[in-house]
Amino acid sequence: MKPLSLVILGASGDLTKRLLMPSLFRLHQLGLISKLNIIGYSCDQWNDNDFIEHVHDALSEFVLDFDDEKWISFSKCLSFISGSLDVKDLATLSKKIDGSALFYLALPPTLFAKAAVKIGEAGLSIESSSYWRRILIEKPFGTDLDSAQFLHSQIHSYWNESQVYRIDHFLGKEATLNLMIFRFANRVLAPIWCSEHIEQVQITYAETLGVENRSVYYDHAGAMRDMLQNHLMQLLTLTAIEPLGHWDSEILRDHKVEILKSIRLVNDTNVDTWAARGQYTAGKINDKDTISYRDEIGIPANSNTETFAALRIDIDNWRWRGVPFYLRSGKRLARNYAEIAIQFKGPSEALPDDISVDNNWLVFRLLPNLQIDMQVTAKLPGMKLNTHNIELTAPYTHAGEYEVSAYEQLILDALKGEKSNFLRFDEVEWAWRVIEPIIKSWRHGEPDLYQAGTEGPNSQNKIMQKNHSWRSINYGNQ
């Protein structure tokens, strides 16, 4: 059997250092990629030893249980080629590759199209009956619909869609993978997973971090592009998806696209009814003073980029008609907190008038802990017929259990050819069709300001339907 190769373009970059190499090291230690040739490629004037030393330093910093004994066998899988994105330089990779190969573009998004084309021009995308070639691209997939379609056309000049793996690391997270298993493996949920029983769905991803070292990228992207168009839209499709006739990656992605196509599109005349945006000002988080977005290094003093975005979505199909899906994400908020929360409608049976009953919530928590919560009403102990809310909690993992990172899962899937957790282009395209009218409208006006360390701008409440309100991101942390 010919050896399997992983070529990382951008091998000296931050993504490779912080995420890819630690994930590959763990997979190697588990015996899952022990025969994988890992080839670093970048314009740095390094040799094999320089690259190996660079990787050693990265693993020492980012792998908690790293030790040199485990490192020895992994280091033997590493090699390096110095080169640019010119065809002549890329063609030298053929000396290292003898069989199937995965090309990972750990590059700035502006180089995705060029890299995909140049790899193809170098003849490295050509497959045979005895080996395959694949290309893996990180998000963002364009900055709007036109740029996404252009990137798609450039990639497809040398690569078939079957060879393209678009990575959204949220799809490799344990909580995301468990969402579909929990829903479809438990028959008790099947009859109530529809508008007859569900009142609303809220998907929140809150961060205490600011833009950190991503100012150049972030100020051109903003929260809507950075989080809602991809990560949160994927969580929405997996929450709303129809049951699959049988498990197949193409059928799964067909069903996700059906959801995206069923979303009621917003137009310029009613954006404020459906979407809200904000930008953080100076404040205090965890008792530490923080500066405003416009005072961050690399951010223009007059920037109107949103650091918070919220969106209400209506899905016009039989299952979800009338159920609002609320999505929001923001930086410099009060807490690192993420959840998918499904609220059920109130009980139909009559209870005494003085009995207080809150609607049930089923909550899939992503941060700060991976767990499932069911918030229900029960009798309060005592002589009187009083009630109280209780929470049934099930953690995903227990102490001592190995937790697979999203990148470990997705790298292994790409090497195996499993595409369920990767995006097909029509998913990308239809997500842009949903978001683009809002982005165009936001070219005018300014985001609402919110103080760092709070739950975001007050304008987010205006998109909520009557009797709905946002769940606090401080829930369970009071």
Side-chain angles (χ1 to χ4, degrees):
M1 180 182 295
K2 292 186 176 181
L4 175 61
S5 299
L6 169 63
V7 181
I8 302 176
L9 285 83
S12 62
D14 196 59
L15 172 64
T16 304
K17 177 180 178 180
R18 290 176 175 270
L19 296 170
L20 301 188
M21 282 302 169
S23 296
L24 289 166
F25 179 71
R26 295 189 191 100
L27 290 172
H28 181 85
Q29 296 310 309
L30 292 170
L32 298 174
I33 57 168
S34 57
K35 296 182 180 180
L36 179 67
N37 295 324
I38 302 171
I39 305 166
Y41 186 91
S42 73
C43 59
D44 300 89
Q45 297 301 309
W46 291 349
N47 56 30
D48 286 353
N49 290 333
D50 294 328
F51 179 57
I52 290 170
E53 183 179 351
H54 174 77
V55 174
H56 179 274
D57 292 344
L59 296 179
S60 299
E61 182 178 357
F62 294 107
V63 177
L64 295 177
D65 59 348
F66 176 77
D67 64 65
D68 286 327
E69 185 176 342
K70 295 179 180 178
W71 158 255
I72 293 174
S73 62
F74 181 70
S75 65
K76 294 177 181 178
C77 301
L78 304 175
S79 62
F80 182 82
I81 291 182
S82 176
S84 68
L85 292 181
D86 291 335
V87 173
K88 183 178 179 180
D89 287 350
L90 287 165
T92 61
L93 284 167
S94 61
K95 299 176 183 178
K96 293 271 190 178
I97 301 171
D98 182 24
S100 298
L102 171 65
F103 295 86
Y104 199 126
L105 302 190
L107 297 167
T110 52
L111 296 178
F112 288 169
K114 179 179 180 179
V117 169
K118 295 300 180 181
I119 294 170
E121 289 180 352
L124 298 172
S125 64
I126 300 172
E127 298 182 307
S128 77
S129 58
S130 60
Y131 62 82
W132 49 258
R133 297 290 166 86
R134 297 170 187 150
I135 188 167
L136 197 156
I137 303 172
E138 287 270 348
K139 73 97 177 172
F141 312 113
T143 58
D144 54 22
L145 181 59
D146 286 344
S147 61
Q149 290 174 331
F150 175 77
L151 174 62
H152 175 67
S153 66
Q154 290 293 98
I155 292 171
H156 275 237
S157 60
Y158 285 95
W159 303 84
N160 298 320
E161 182 66 20
S162 62
Q163 296 175 280
V164 181
Y165 287 68
R166 299 176 187 85
I167 189 171
D168 182 331
H169 73 271
F170 267 47
L171 293 181
K173 288 179 175 290
E174 283 285 358
T176 306
L177 296 170
N178 191 53
L179 174 63
M180 289 185 63
I181 297 298
F182 188 85
R183 178 184 163 191
F184 293 129
N186 296 289
R187 188 167 182 173
V188 66
L189 294 177
I192 60 172
W193 207 263
C194 62
S195 59
E196 183 179 353
H197 299 282
I198 291 178
E199 175 73 21
Q200 60 170 310
V201 177
Q202 295 187 19
I203 302 176
T204 293
Y205 199 93
E207 299 179 275
T208 59
L209 289 175
V211 294
E212 309 311 312
N213 60 351
R214 302 170 68 221
S215 59
V216 174
Y217 160 74
Y218 195 88
D219 199 58
H220 286 87
M224 184 65 81
R225 287 185 176 96
D226 188 47
M227 290 296 296
L228 273 73
Q229 188 275 337
N230 38 72
H231 299 324
L232 269 59
M233 199 66 70
Q234 285 295 311
L235 297 181
L236 177 145
T237 60
L238 293 176
T239 304
I241 196 171
E242 289 295 311
L244 279 61
H246 67 275
W247 189 264
D248 177 85
S249 62
E250 293 306 312
I251 294 176
L252 170 63
R253 296 189 293 180
D254 286 344
H255 281 27
K256 289 164 68 179
V257 171
E258 287 173 4
I259 294 296
L260 294 170
K261 287 182 175 180
S262 299
I263 292 175
R264 189 183 308 166
L265 298 181
V266 178
N267 59 58
D268 290 342
T269 63
N270 64 355
V271 166
D272 290 342
T273 304
W274 299 89
R277 57 176 166 161
Q279 186 185 93
Y280 64 78
T281 61
K284 190 181 290 288
I285 297 177
N286 297 327
D287 296 324
K288 293 183 179 180
D289 293 329
T290 61
I291 61 176
S292 69
Y293 176 74
R294 294 177 182 179
D295 290 330
E296 299 276 11
I297 296 174
I299 301 298
N302 61 348
S303 174
N304 283 332
T305 298
E306 79 283 357
T307 61
F308 177 99
L311 176 63
R312 186 177 88 235
I313 285 178
D314 282 354
I315 301 174
D316 286 331
N317 64 17
W318 74 269
R319 183 180 294 278
W320 297 112
R321 188 167 288 113
V323 179
F325 283 70
Y326 301 105
L327 282 60
R328 64 173 173 168
S329 180
K331 292 189 173 295
R332 288 283 188 237
L333 297 177
R335 182 187 180 202
N336 290 319
Y337 189 80
E339 67 175 23
I340 304 166
I342 297 98
Q343 185 187 42
F344 293 92
K345 294 181 177 179
S348 57
E349 292 77 11
L351 291 169
D353 293 337
D354 58 348
I355 294 294
S356 175
V357 177
D358 292 334
N359 291 10
N360 303 141
W361 286 92
L362 176 62
V363 182
F364 296 85
R365 294 199 191 190
L366 287 74
L367 292 174
N369 302 310
L370 294 174
Q371 64 187 51
I372 301 172
D373 298 332
M374 185 70 186
Q375 297 166 23
V376 298
T377 301
K379 181 183 177 297
L380 187 68
M383 299 292 289
K384 296 182 179 180
L385 195 62
N386 293 331
T387 63
H388 66 149
N389 294 326
I390 62 173
E391 189 168 83
L392 311 176
T393 298
Y396 288 177
T397 59
H398 300 280
E401 290 183 344
Y402 177 75
E403 293 187 30
V404 177
S405 74
Y407 277 91
E408 289 173 58
Q409 179 69 59
L410 294 171
I411 290 172
L412 193 60
D413 284 349
L415 291 170
K416 290 180 176 180
E418 172 52 62
K419 304 198 75 171
S420 298
N421 297 321
F422 295 91
L423 279 68
R424 204 169 61 192
F425 177 69
D426 49 356
E427 293 182 68
V428 175
E429 182 178 28
W430 278 95
W432 276 121
R433 292 183 188 279
V434 172
I435 296 299
E436 191 162 61
I438 300 164
I439 292 175
K440 286 183 177 179
S441 176
W442 283 356
R443 293 173 182 170
H444 311 287
E446 295 187 355
D448 297 305
L449 300 179
Y450 65 95
Q451 187 177 16
T454 66
E455 299 212 6
N458 292 330
S459 57
Q460 65 181 299
N461 299 313
K462 296 180 181 179
I463 70 172
M464 307 297 283
Q465 290 187 356
K466 186 179 179 180
N467 298 324
H468 291 174
S469 59
W470 287 106
R471 290 168 51 84
S472 174
I473 63 175
N474 278 310
Y475 183 86
N477 196 39
Q478 290 86 354

